[in-house]
Amino acid sequence: MKKVSMISSRIFQYTFMMIALLMMALSPPVKRKSTVGAGDSMLAGMVMYLSAQKNIKEGVRFGFACGTAATLNEGTQLCNMHDAEKLYKVMRQYE
């Protein structure tokens, strides 16, 4: 049973990594002001979508939109929802 769980975990990790790589390639270019907090914003966006029972692909996509949105702000500001949703819509067009 433990081995099956480990295999399932590995499959999930590889799937997540492949989706993440795809989303990086599809993230729209923006004029960065600061990268501080981009990783925190990305993780928060992913957790928000996944906790709302969205699929992993959409969760990763929204996470990348949040991370990218955070770079639009100066200093230590995290992303704002308006920018994140706008970027998310742009990223959905790439499908």
Side-chain angles (χ1 to χ4, degrees):
M1 183 71 162
K2 194 172 192 178
K3 190 172 186 170
V4 171
S5 179
M6 284 178 49
I7 292 170
S8 296
S9 177
R10 288 278 186 217
I11 291 170
F12 177 80
Q13 289 173 349
Y14 291 132
T15 302
F16 180 81
M17 287 186 334
M18 294 304 292
I19 293 169
L21 289 171
L22 177 62
M23 290 303 120
M24 280 194 290
L26 299 178
S27 293
V30 296
K31 187 173 180 180
R32 286 187 312 234
K33 294 183 180 174
S34 173
T35 58
V36 174
D40 294 335
S41 293
M42 182 184 80
L43 182 60
M46 288 179 7
V47 168
M48 184 179 113
Y49 253 54
L50 293 175
S51 67
Q53 306 303 314
K54 305 285 184 177
N55 68 47
I56 189 167
K57 183 178 176 185
E58 293 305 312
V60 171
R61 180 180 285 147
F62 190 72
F64 271 82
C66 289
T68 303
T71 68
L72 299 173
N73 300 314
E74 294 181 359
T76 59
Q77 295 177 25
L78 299 179
C79 71
N80 70 55
M81 190 59 80
H82 175 74
D83 291 336
E85 288 174 347
K86 205 162 138 184
L87 288 165
Y88 176 71
K89 287 179 185 174
V90 169
M91 292 174 71
R92 290 203 60 181
Q93 294 174 0
Y94 294 147
E95 272 190 274

